[in-house]
Amino acid sequence: MEVHTALVLTVQLVALFSIAGALLLYLLCKVKGSRNVSLDPRFGSILITSADTALGLQLSTYLASKGCRVFAGMKDPHESLPAKLLKGWMKARENHLELESNCVIGQIVPLKIDVTKEDVLREATEKMGAHLNAGERGILAVINTAGTVFRGRIDTQEFQEWESMFKNNVLGCLRVARAFIGLLRPTRGRFIFLGSGSRGDGLLAYNASRNSVEGTACALREELKPYGVSVVTLESSGVPAESLFKSPIPFTISDTEGIPTQYSAEILTHSSLQVIERALFDPRPFDSYSLSVPNTKFQCKLPCRSEFVRKSNSFVQKV
Ligand SMILES: *[C@@H]1O[C@H](CO)[C@@H](O)[C@H](O)[C@H]1NC(C)=O
């Protein structure tokens, strides 16, 4: 064989091997990459049915900070105070993220939801479907934070208040379950409902509605077992009933024009938020989780942590 031919042959062989090598490397990366995507469940989507409440806002921002895509339900997702607060929070967060490059990036998608209206729920389901990426077949969880409470004694409370509590708390739960089950079955996701637990005077009808939700959760759990969809309740003793549903709380009210009013959405302690995180991400969730952590006495709060919690849950709104 001539030297020239041998040289050409060698060059050709080298080229062939490098192409094959590159192809193999590409395939390996692809396999590894696709495995990585499904590793961390936290980057999936979660629906919070009402972010009109401080609790819903707190959960939305908390979970978005953890990297989730949060669908935040609101009666009016454009002009209401909670909608503006969320928008402001997202903007502030984007600016903050530009400074800190290696932060997890979550996302909040405001969505019109009213748990008493079937057509609104149906529309919300369609909108959520349109937001999902090609690889996402559904969402991880639905947290039903929508609800209402009125205090009153048996002989004096208005019937309308009873009706409103049953419509929002009990029928709301059933409607939410029916509307979003289709998005939970493909992911073997979970429903999270606020259960019973609040004590106090004048909570007769409210307690009736919360116990109905517990019963609903229990029966729904059995019904959805074959699909691998879990139903979890959050037991709320220690948290006053009104706190669960109150609006964002203004904490600096200024008379001077131009100075923004701040709103807080801090309802749950950091440990209660971690309880909800476990309810969301424990591989085999319990039927119920308690929001009140008994030994808070021994919990040491580092200044930087409480500062972070405050930062992620306070909102600035110009009045
Ligand atoms: C509400 O009902 C539960 C039973 O599920 C009961 O233990 C609780 O004491 C009731 N709360 C009030 C305020 O009566």
Side-chain angles (χ1 to χ4, degrees):
M1 200 173 357
E2 283 194 20
V3 179
H4 184 74
T5 324
L7 202 70
V8 169
L9 210 68
T10 316
V11 169
Q12 279 178 343
L13 274 176
V14 166
L16 199 72
F17 275 120
S18 43
I19 289 171
L23 209 71
L24 207 71
L25 212 69
Y26 169 77
L27 283 176
L28 267 175
C29 284
K30 213 168 164 184
V31 168
K32 220 171 140 206
S34 66
R35 201 178 290 148
N36 273 349
V37 168
S38 57
L39 255 183
D40 196 337
R42 285 154 204 253
F43 295 99
S45 302
I46 291 171
L47 166 67
I48 291 172
T49 57
S50 175
D52 287 323
T53 62
L55 175 69
L57 279 174
Q58 185 183 21
L59 270 178
S60 301
T61 54
Y62 180 76
L63 292 172
S65 311
K66 293 276 168 182
C68 298
R69 182 204 283 126
V70 176
F71 291 104
M74 282 176 279
K75 293 231 166 93
D76 171 6
H78 305 292
E79 292 305 316
S80 64
L81 174 67
K84 286 178 183 164
L85 293 178
L86 265 189
K87 227 178 272 170
W89 184 85
M90 285 189 279
K91 212 177 206 168
R93 187 166 167 76
E94 269 161 34
N95 295 340
H96 183 70
L97 283 179
E98 273 171 22
L99 303 175
E100 252 178 76
S101 53
N102 61 344
C103 235
V104 265
I105 305 170
Q107 193 193 351
I108 296 183
V109 182
L111 203 63
K112 184 178 166 72
I113 287 189
D114 182 338
V115 299
T116 64
K117 298 203 170 97
E118 208 115 342
D119 51 330
V120 174
L121 285 169
R122 204 172 312 119
E123 235 170 82
T125 316
E126 282 161 19
K127 280 208 183 114
M128 285 164 70
H131 259 95
L132 298 181
N133 303 331
E136 266 180 305
R137 290 167 307 141
I139 64 175
L140 295 179
V142 174
I143 309 181
N144 188 20
T145 53
T148 189
V149 56
F150 297 100
R151 267 180 211 260
R153 288 174 174 267
I154 185 72
D155 45 358
T156 51
Q157 188 163 33
E158 297 282 341
F159 178 79
Q160 280 85 345
E161 294 186 348
W162 292 355
E163 209 172 35
S164 173
M165 282 189 277
F166 271 82
K167 203 167 151 191
N168 281 280
N169 303 350
V170 184
L171 294 179
C173 248
L174 290 169
R175 286 206 166 104
V176 162
R178 178 151 68 191
F180 301 110
I181 180 61
L183 288 168
L184 290 180
R185 272 200 204 107
T187 58
R188 300 169 81 79
R190 53 194 74 171
F191 278 115
I192 299 186
F193 295 147
L194 298 173
S196 60
S198 299
R199 303 264 138 81
D201 258 359
L203 286 180
L204 172 85
Y206 174 74
N207 202 31
S209 77
R210 284 265 78 90
N211 280 306
S212 300
V213 172
E214 287 276 358
T216 305
C218 207
L220 191 63
R221 185 176 299 129
E222 287 308 309
E223 193 169 312
L224 298 183
K225 220 172 233 166
Y227 305 101
V229 174
S230 322
V231 180
V232 175
T233 57
L234 300 173
E235 195 259 344
S236 60
S237 53
V239 188
E242 281 80 3
S243 297
L244 296 172
F245 307 109
K246 76 164 115 178
S247 309
I249 314 123
F251 65 84
T252 50
I253 302 180
S254 58
D255 303 324
T256 335
E257 222 179 292
I259 294 179
T261 302
Q262 299 236 355
Y263 288 85
S264 161
E266 261 189 277
I267 298 293
L268 299 176
T269 60
H270 192 72
S271 28
S272 300
L273 287 170
Q274 284 174 325
V275 168
I276 295 183
E277 226 181 306
R278 281 184 29 226
L280 280 168
F281 298 118
D282 275 352
R284 308 183 90 225
F286 294 110
D287 292 348
S288 178
Y289 287 78
S290 174
L291 285 182
S292 58
V293 183
N295 56 347
T296 40
K297 253 194 299 192
F298 304 110
Q299 210 193 308
C300 98
K301 262 200 172 176
L302 300 171
C304 58
R305 167 168 291 182
S306 61
E307 198 178 281
F308 169 76
V309 172
R310 176 159 284 284
K311 232 186 240 156
S312 65
N313 293 317
S314 52
F315 303 85
V316 181
Q317 169 67 25
K318 289 224 163 58
V319 281

